[in-house]
Amino acid sequence: MTEDDLVDVDIRNEEPDWDKTTLRTDSELSDHLLTVHAHRLKAGQPDTELQSLSHLDEEQVKLLEHQVDAAHNALFEINGKALLADEVGLGKTIEVGMILKEMHYRGTDDAVLILTPAQLAQQWQGEMLEKFGLNFTCNYDDEFDRFGTHDYVIASIDTAKSDRHRAAVLSKDWDVLVLDEAHYVKNEDTDRYGLIDQLSYTYAFFLTATPIQNDVTDLYNIVSLLRPGLFGTRDAFHNYFVESGQDALVNRDELQRRLSEVMIRNRRAETDIDFTPRNVTTRTFDPSPAERELYHAVTDYVQEAYSEDQGQKLVLMTLQKEVVSSPEALGLTVERQLDTDEDGHHVHADQLNGILNKVEAIDTPTKLNSLRRITDEARQRVEKGRVIVFTQFRATQRALLNMLDDEGYTTHPFHGGLSSDEKEEIVERFENEGGVLVSTDAMNEGRNLQFCNVMVNYDLPWNPMKVEQRIGRIHRIGQKREVYVFNLALNDTIEEYVLERLYHKIDLFQQSVGELSEILTRLEQSGRNFRDEVFDRLVSADSEVELENDFDEMAVDLQEQRELADQLNDFNNGVFEGFDLGAADD
Amino acid sequence: MTDAALPVTEQAVSEFVTDYFDSLDATIHKEGRRWEVSIPKDANTELSLDETVVQLVTHPEEADNDAVALTPGSDLFEQIVDDAVTHAPIGSLALTGDDVNFDDPDYVVGESTEVTNQQFTPYYDRHALCVLFDVGIETVSEYQCEMLKIGAVDLADYESRPQLAQTYLKYLEQTSTRPSEGNHRLTDGELTEAIAACREMVRVEIDSNIEDIREKATRAASVEIEEYRQYLQQRRDELRAEKQQLSEQIDELSTAIDTASERTDRLKRLRERKQFRDELADLRDELDGVRDSLNQGMPQRRAEIQDRHALTVRIRPVTATIVTHERGELDVSVRTDDCSATLTCDYAVGIGTLSRPTCDQCGTELDAQNPVEISPLKTTGRQCCGQ
């Protein structure tokens, strides 16, 4: 039996439902035409416009034409099982947000599961809520219980496949499955692939800019998860589409035809995305002798305390970040450390008290003077003197606000302790009155501050995603002016290492949106995490030279990840060159 | 052939429901998007609305508490459509020269040549049948679809009339003119024969759809068969290994039985050997079954998969409209700066030009590639005999 014989076709000529006597009962033409019309409407699709679009807040999300087209195509042309494979930075997350919003509007999303790499889960959660008003529980939330008890879940794929959760994830019938960075499930022999293969879902949207990682079999694997049988058997796919002995594609027209049934890929060159230039200035300063002394005291303490008790990692990490942020932030944490000890005497009380003394010895932090120069210049040269200053710590925020208030600036504090309405009012006031907005990283994704074009990173998070998010508040689609980003750091400190050796190595400040997540996800796949890598190097180095070498080593690794990510993008662009897989024109 | 289905927009819903209620002699008091509707008790309908407030909304949840929501996907709209589809499946209409706009012919090209008038003179009526078919392509896999297709044939010779079918659909969508009632009637036999001819037209048209879906279903079935083959091969290897292991255990037990000094020990091992031999027999049976299945091409599983992926194509007529249309001659008056001429061709309302005017000089047909040129004495083709 040949393959052609596998599927029989039975054509049934059915009789009409009408009674032949109708022939002789002359019906009114108008009634007949209504019957014809009714049949045509009955066979018609319910309106395939994206009905939820008008319910989106344009302040929160600016939709681009290719994104709307992709969402429409994925829902109505591809019938809800799509591989969204836009080139990096074109907004695949936005496309999925629109799809989910539309499904929510139409009531077809009773249970939705979004699986992402661990480092991106919370970012997804924030974007879905802020931009689309979709409230998901994340597996990192305190209120997260089990997969079975929540209907809208964002989770890291590795959590979902873990022994603890796997059964619950598989036992639920999901209406929608979203899989971010889908190329990480390309390998059919892995637990991840097995999980997706066994999941029960009705609609699925897989996201990746690089569906092909090693060879074109990756494409077969991903597509077969979404549409089993689209490419036939693995052998049939290889025989027909892959040039024998090489990794090149043949029969490209047929491949394009089949791929277009499941895959949407927009190219940057064909979209109307246009970012204004971004100017990044990094200002490093020699710390004052008192600052240097304080920094060494804290670093010594952190190294020593960590070698004794690794359970304190988070607190120690905070101290190490605060020492380069502000004496106020550091002092507060140290005091809390001394206060919270149960038996009234901290093991390192002497060291901590010594640190407090050194905190008090600092008069005006060096960075504060530098910030003043930037805000002064902005007051003279920028519309309404608008500047946004980011810091990680509330105590630093208060110190900055005090200084700026004393200097006569109009200031606006923005932090996570404010209600949504208060946040809204503050942003509005900042727009109208100008001056300086001092914000913690509670400023979320959806917040649109493109009316401002000057930003200062007073201190730097050890998480490049957060830096990208900060810049993204002002440098986004719709920003019409050049954007100025100032980074402040003290020489010979952890901040300088992170900034100069790591962030600049991966070109963090000049990357297009989306490239970073690829690099970080690659890092995560090799079992590492940016923040921990930084901290571990800091606490384990025995000397200044060793520390520098360690950071250089990490920089080389990051650069390698970046180059690999770039190579993959180039490779995928080459493979799909000439393919028209953009969203359909309506 | 395009699908005859219409997009179900809010406007389409509003217009259709209004027309349908009117046809039932219902009373409708409209206040914006809130309508109070009452359908007479004796109306020929399953619908029952008595001073019911129907509210046009974008989403059913937006309707007021006292109102029934009307949206493209609402229950009410589905009930109305289901009611309407059964009412008058067969009808008759007439298309005349007054019902159509004559497009400028393609052989008039260039700024200096223009059409000044088109005059249609009907000579006789022809009758055709336009039939809507509900077409369903069904398979257990996801590649199934529903379509509404149209076929049209001339009732004199049962030749297909695709252009008339398209005109019919377009004509029904016009709201400005209402067609007039036709008076032609068919016998049962004529209707059956004409529907069969229309059905054949539709079947030919959907061949490519069927083939496309068949290809996809075939690929899906092949993957299933291949996966099952791999499963059987894996199972065969496992069974071989288990069989080998059991045989070795039986051999060891046999040796132990031969050398056993105690009777109880020997009996125990004999029982064990018997149990192992039973297991070995089961394994052999299973292994034989797996081997046979592989050697014979897994007929049972193949049949199951084949059955599951089989396509059933249903073609069912749902409405039939006898379309009486005029045939005659169309006079097209054409003018240039200094001369004019009239070209005549056979024309059928709803179908269009049946013949093309020709070049006076060589007889070549005029068309977009060979447009008309006018001189005081003759009309010629620019390409064939142009100056």
Side-chain angles (χ1 to χ4, degrees):
Chain A
M1 185 184 276
T2 67
E3 207 181 63
D4 287 345
D5 300 326
L6 269 178
V7 174
D8 294 329
V9 179
D10 174 20
I11 294 182
R12 294 183 187 169
N13 293 328
E14 296 185 350
E15 290 301 310
D17 286 341
W18 66 65
D19 182 349
K20 286 200 175 155
T21 54
T22 335
L23 260 179
R24 285 172 283 276
T25 59
D26 292 340
S27 46
E28 290 276 333
L29 176 61
S30 56
D31 286 347
H32 172 63
L33 294 182
L34 277 169
T35 294
V36 172
H37 201 160
H39 275 289
R40 298 181 72 187
L41 289 172
K42 191 178 168 76
Q45 288 290 321
D47 194 0
T48 56
E49 296 295 312
L50 291 173
Q51 296 171 4
S52 64
L53 279 189
S54 58
H55 294 252
L56 287 176
D57 184 350
E58 284 181 36
E59 284 292 306
Q60 300 292 334
V61 55
K62 179 173 166 52
L63 303 176
L64 298 174
E65 194 180 338
H66 75 271
Q67 294 166 341
V68 177
D69 288 347
H72 185 276
N73 198 14
L75 277 171
F76 301 119
E77 306 292 329
I78 295 182
N79 295 330
K81 281 189 181 170
L83 178 64
L84 300 169
D86 287 358
E87 283 180 12
V88 167
L90 298 188
K92 290 187 284 291
T93 318
I94 301 292
E95 291 166 8
V96 166
M98 287 166 64
I99 289 168
L100 295 179
K101 181 80 180 171
E102 185 67 20
M103 297 184 90
H104 189 65
Y105 191 82
R106 290 169 182 258
T108 51
D109 67 335
D110 290 340
V112 181
L113 175 64
I114 299 180
L115 296 176
T116 77
Q119 296 188 60
L120 305 182
Q122 282 164 317
Q123 192 186 336
W124 264 90
Q125 186 186 28
E127 283 204 55
M128 290 301 109
L129 181 64
E130 298 301 330
K131 293 182 177 168
F132 299 98
L134 299 171
N135 203 344
F136 280 84
T137 304
C138 177
N139 68 294
Y140 298 113
D141 291 348
D142 291 340
E143 66 265 33
F144 179 76
D145 182 11
R146 291 177 292 115
F147 279 85
T149 54
H150 305 282
D151 285 330
Y152 298 87
V153 185
I154 294 177
S156 95
I157 186 166
D158 290 331
T159 302
K161 77 171 172 56
S162 65
D163 290 343
R164 188 172 161 217
H165 294 294
R166 190 183 175 89
V169 174
L170 291 178
S171 66
K172 189 160 175 136
D173 288 329
W174 301 95
D175 290 311
V176 189
L177 168 69
V178 175
L179 179 64
D180 189 20
E181 306 289 356
H183 47 274
Y184 287 109
V185 295
K186 67 189 168 53
N187 189 341
E188 55 163 343
D189 297 326
T190 60
D191 289 348
R192 290 189 189 133
Y193 192 95
L195 177 82
I196 304 299
D197 196 27
Q198 290 169 41
L199 267 171
S200 162
Y201 54 83
T202 310
Y203 304 104
F205 305 97
F206 289 5
L207 286 70
T208 175
T210 51
I212 304 175
Q213 295 283 296
N214 298 322
D215 65 63
V216 288
T217 308
D218 300 338
L219 186 65
Y220 176 87
N221 287 343
I222 292 180
V223 168
S224 296
L225 274 176
L226 268 176
R227 289 283 178 93
L230 182 68
F231 285 139
T233 62
R234 191 177 303 271
D235 286 346
F237 174 77
H238 274 273
N239 292 339
Y240 195 63
F241 292 118
V242 184
E243 196 168 355
S244 150
Q246 297 183 35
D247 210 13
L249 296 170
V250 289
N251 289 320
R252 293 170 64 90
D253 286 350
E254 175 63 13
L255 182 63
Q256 176 182 335
R257 192 179 72 78
R258 289 201 208 167
L259 273 179
S260 67
E261 290 179 25
V262 68
M263 179 166 154
I264 299 167
R265 183 173 175 87
N266 287 300
R267 295 181 178 83
R268 180 172 286 274
E270 291 159 6
T271 63
D272 48 5
I273 286 185
D274 189 19
F275 283 97
T276 58
R278 182 192 295 180
N279 297 291
V280 181
T281 308
T282 295
R283 294 188 176 170
T284 54
F285 314 93
D286 283 332
S288 65
E291 283 173 324
R292 194 180 296 276
E293 212 176 312
L294 175 64
Y295 180 79
H296 286 306
V298 170
T299 307
D300 290 346
Y301 167 69
V302 167
Q303 286 182 331
E304 198 182 320
Y306 186 67
S307 66
E308 289 167 12
D309 177 7
Q310 303 200 344
Q312 295 187 70
K313 188 172 183 176
L314 277 180
V315 175
L316 297 174
M317 214 185 257
T318 304
L319 287 176
Q320 194 67 53
K321 289 179 191 170
E322 285 174 335
V323 68
V324 287
S325 179
S326 73
E328 287 82 356
L330 176 68
L332 204 64
T333 306
V334 172
E335 279 169 12
R336 278 195 195 128
Q337 280 282 289
L338 286 166
D339 289 348
T340 51
D341 205 76
E342 284 171 6
D343 56 8
H345 185 74
H346 196 284
V347 178
H348 296 285
D350 291 347
Q351 256 179 303
L352 290 172
N353 279 316
I355 289 172
L356 275 185
N357 290 336
K358 289 184 172 59
V359 164
E360 279 158 22
I362 292 172
D363 185 18
T364 306
T366 309
K367 278 208 243 174
L368 204 56
N369 286 327
S370 171
L371 173 66
R372 193 183 289 128
R373 283 196 290 277
I374 295 168
T375 50
D376 272 352
E377 201 178 334
R379 187 146 60 174
Q380 290 160 25
R381 297 176 53 179
V382 177
E383 187 191 355
K384 295 186 179 178
R386 290 192 200 105
V387 178
I388 300 171
V389 181
F390 276 105
T391 172
Q392 298 169 83
F393 302 103
R394 286 286 292 278
T396 306
Q397 182 189 36
R398 281 193 291 273
L400 297 182
L401 287 163
N402 286 339
M403 182 278 283
L404 292 164
D405 285 340
D406 290 348
E407 302 265 328
Y409 284 93
T410 307
T411 59
H412 313 273
F414 191 106
H415 53 80
L418 301 165
S419 69
S420 305
D421 287 347
E422 285 170 330
K423 286 178 181 169
E424 206 65 53
E425 275 172 34
I426 284 167
V427 170
E428 206 170 302
R429 252 200 331 268
F430 176 48
E431 182 172 9
N432 296 331
E433 297 171 8
V436 185
L437 179 89
V438 184
S439 176
T440 63
D441 287 300
M443 176 78 72
N444 54 38
E445 265 287 311
R447 198 67 61 179
N448 179 359
L449 297 172
Q450 65 200 30
F451 53 82
C452 175
N453 66 329
V454 182
M455 197 192 99
V456 179
N457 285 312
Y458 191 78
D459 49 36
L460 279 169
W462 294 357
N463 178 349
M465 279 313 263
K466 288 205 167 162
V467 180
E468 188 183 79
Q469 281 164 14
R470 285 179 175 183
I471 298 172
R473 302 288 63 75
I474 61 169
H475 201 203
R476 55 202 296 159
I477 293 155
Q479 173 62 267
K480 293 185 173 59
R481 293 164 295 179
E482 282 190 38
V483 162
Y484 296 87
V485 178
F486 295 94
N487 301 312
L488 307 183
L490 294 177
N491 283 328
D492 305 325
T493 64
I494 183 74
E495 200 161 43
E496 193 211 354
Y497 290 132
V498 171
L499 184 65
E500 293 287 356
R501 287 171 204 272
L502 304 183
Y503 287 175
H504 281 305
K505 272 281 186 269
I506 53 173
D507 244 352
L508 171 65
F509 298 100
Q510 292 299 348
Q511 297 225 20
S512 67
V513 182
E515 281 176 292
L516 184 61
S517 61
E518 177 62 33
I519 298 170
L520 289 182
T521 310
R522 293 185 72 83
L523 200 66
E524 183 183 317
Q525 294 306 309
S526 54
R528 290 168 297 163
N529 159 310
F530 196 94
R531 189 189 64 176
D532 291 346
E533 289 275 307
V534 169
F535 186 73
D536 291 348
R537 279 172 167 74
L538 183 80
V539 291
S540 60
D542 288 334
S543 67
E544 195 80 3
V545 175
E546 193 180 330
L547 186 62
E548 282 187 29
N549 287 343
D550 281 354
F551 270 95
D552 280 340
E553 189 187 27
M554 184 174 170
V556 167
D557 190 29
L558 279 174
Q559 203 166 13
E560 203 173 281
Q561 300 298 343
R562 190 200 159 144
E563 281 163 10
L564 286 170
D566 287 348
Q567 281 170 18
L568 270 177
N569 282 325
D570 290 347
F571 176 63
N572 278 268
N573 287 345
V575 170
F576 298 116
E577 189 168 15
F579 278 22
D580 180 11
L581 295 165
D585 293 328
D586 291 322
Chain B
M1 179 171 31
T2 53
D3 198 315
L6 289 172
V8 191
T9 60
E10 269 184 41
Q11 190 187 350
V13 168
S14 166
E15 287 172 3
F16 174 76
V17 171
T18 304
D19 288 348
Y20 191 61
F21 284 160
D22 284 344
S23 78
L24 298 173
D25 290 329
T27 54
I28 314 175
H29 298 296
K30 290 189 177 180
E31 282 181 25
R33 288 162 74 85
R34 281 172 63 91
W35 307 347
E36 191 187 282
V37 184
S38 296
I39 298 173
K41 295 269 184 286
D42 58 350
N44 177 23
T45 176
E46 297 289 317
L47 295 168
S48 171
L49 300 176
D50 186 10
E51 296 184 355
T52 307
V53 177
V54 171
Q55 189 175 5
L56 276 171
V57 285
T58 308
H59 197 264
E61 292 154 12
E62 295 165 6
D64 298 336
N65 287 338
D66 65 337
V68 182
L70 181 61
T71 69
S74 64
D75 291 345
L76 177 61
F77 182 64
E78 280 180 21
Q79 283 171 27
I80 291 170
V81 167
D82 286 344
D83 197 64
V85 292
T86 60
H87 263 204
I90 299 177
S92 179
L93 67 82
L95 287 177
T96 70
D98 297 335
D99 295 322
V100 294
N101 295 317
F102 301 102
D103 295 332
D104 282 357
D106 59 359
Y107 52 81
V108 177
V109 172
E111 286 178 11
S112 60
T113 313
E114 62 170 339
V115 176
T116 54
N117 189 33
Q118 297 199 70
Q119 179 68 47
F120 175 66
T121 308
Y123 292 147
Y124 61 98
D125 285 344
R126 284 286 282 251
H127 309 291
L129 190 71
C130 290
V131 184
L132 286 182
F133 290 90
D134 182 11
V135 177
I137 303 180
E138 292 173 2
T139 153
V140 288
S141 65
E142 61 193 85
Y143 311 112
Q144 53 195 22
C145 64
E146 291 281 332
M147 297 174 276
L148 189 71
K149 293 286 183 186
I150 185 167
V153 292
D154 193 301
L155 287 170
D157 53 15
Y158 299 119
E159 285 293 313
S160 75
R161 290 284 176 261
Q163 186 56 46
L164 183 69
Q166 295 314 311
T167 306
Y168 166 79
L169 290 178
K170 274 190 207 155
Y171 187 62
L172 297 190
E173 283 160 38
Q174 290 174 4
T175 50
S176 53
T177 52
R178 306 306 298 175
S180 50
E181 190 96 35
N183 54 13
H184 191 74
R185 294 291 179 267
L186 296 178
T187 63
D188 284 0
E190 285 170 328
L191 183 66
T192 303
E193 196 169 352
I195 286 174
C198 287
R199 193 197 300 267
E200 181 56 21
M201 180 181 164
V202 165
R203 204 197 55 72
V204 170
E205 292 285 352
I206 62 171
D207 256 358
S208 61
N209 295 67
I210 295 172
E211 192 47 40
D212 197 33
I213 293 173
R214 187 168 168 272
E215 265 182 34
K216 289 174 189 170
T218 301
R219 284 197 294 269
S222 306
V223 170
E224 276 190 45
I225 288 177
E226 185 54 33
E227 282 173 354
Y228 187 67
R229 187 198 315 279
Q230 285 170 8
Y231 161 75
L232 283 186
Q233 284 167 342
Q234 192 184 336
R235 184 71 191 134
R236 180 191 59 195
D237 296 344
E238 286 168 4
L239 288 169
R240 278 177 179 159
E242 283 176 45
K243 187 182 142 204
Q244 176 68 25
Q245 202 181 353
L246 265 181
S247 300
E248 284 167 11
Q249 283 173 316
I250 290 168
D251 289 346
E252 282 169 21
L253 278 172
S254 299
T255 310
I257 289 162
D258 291 345
T259 56
S261 51
E262 296 290 327
R263 182 169 178 267
T264 50
D265 185 32
R266 194 168 62 246
L267 285 176
K268 182 176 164 240
R269 287 172 196 275
L270 279 167
R271 273 196 294 274
E272 279 180 39
R273 189 173 68 177
K274 183 174 183 309
Q275 187 189 338
F276 280 2
R277 279 180 171 160
D278 290 346
E279 283 178 28
L280 185 62
D282 289 345
L283 270 182
R284 281 193 178 121
D285 288 348
E286 191 183 350
L287 184 58
D288 288 346
V290 169
R291 275 190 192 131
D292 289 349
S293 183
L294 276 169
N295 291 340
Q296 291 160 16
M298 306 163 296
Q300 193 180 344
R301 176 55 68 104
R302 186 178 280 269
E304 283 168 22
I305 292 171
Q306 200 172 358
D307 191 40
R308 199 147 31 80
H309 285 277
L311 298 185
T312 303
V313 181
R314 293 180 297 95
I315 306 176
R316 182 170 60 89
V318 289
T319 64
T321 312
I322 300 159
V323 180
T324 300
H325 57 290
E326 293 177 330
R327 284 203 182 188
E329 282 184 346
L330 183 67
D331 294 327
V332 182
S333 302
V334 184
R335 184 177 69 189
T336 60
D337 290 340
D338 47 7
C339 21
S340 61
T342 297
L343 296 94
T344 301
C345 56
D346 295 337
Y347 190 87
V349 174
I351 295 172
T353 307
L354 300 174
S355 64
R356 286 185 169 276
T358 55
C359 170
D360 288 348
Q361 198 162 312
C362 69
T364 305
E365 283 189 349
L366 302 178
D367 57 23
Q369 279 70 47
N370 187 30
V372 65
E373 276 194 350
I374 311 171
S375 63
L377 296 175
K378 58 189 176 190
T379 55
T380 54
R382 187 183 301 168
Q383 194 185 48
C384 60
C385 302
Q387 292 170 354

